[in-house]
Amino acid sequence: MSFLEQSGLGKVTVDDVERQVSLQGEWWYRGEYIIKDHNGRSLIQYRVYNIAPGTTRWLVPLFAPSHEKLREQFHGLLGTLGHILRAGWRYSPNR
């Protein structure tokens, strides 16, 4: 596991064994990208956690992007990765 600090980006953690990249920023946000094998391809899952301390947790919905906005950003990331890697990709929402 390695930790990377980047100004303006927050704390980035890369876990090669678990195939996971985590980004923790601001006071409420932790996002995790988990890469799994899926029928000879890669399945990338994205999870967002509210890590706000104690009594401030209820404030998060006032500041956090909507689920639709998060989905849109993830969709954009997949498109960018597909372009960079010259690989096909498909967005399949969790049901």
Side-chain angles (χ1 to χ4, degrees), residues 20-70:
Q20 179 173 315
V21 176
S22 301
L23 173 62
Q24 187 167 322
E26 301 195 28
W27 57 276
W28 71 270
Y29 173 84
R30 178 175 172 83
E32 294 180 350
Y33 297 91
I34 302 148
I35 300 96
K36 297 180 178 182
D37 290 326
H38 183 72
N39 299 327
R41 298 179 177 179
S42 294
L43 173 68
I44 303 172
Q45 294 178 324
Y46 177 52
R47 297 182 182 150
V48 176
Y49 296 96
N50 175 352
I51 61 164
T55 58
T56 63
R57 293 181 65 80
W58 69 271
L59 290 168
V60 171
L62 301 175
F63 295 94
S66 67
H67 286 111
E68 183 59 36
K69 183 67 174 171
L70 290 171

Side-chain angles (χ1 to χ4, degrees), residues 33 44-46 69-79 89 91:
Y33 297 91
I44 303 172
Q45 294 178 324
Y46 177 52
K69 183 67 174 171
L70 290 171
R71 217 177 341 268
E72 182 181 302
Q73 291 171 346
F74 184 56
H75 191 267
L77 173 66
L78 292 177
W89 65 276
Y91 175 72

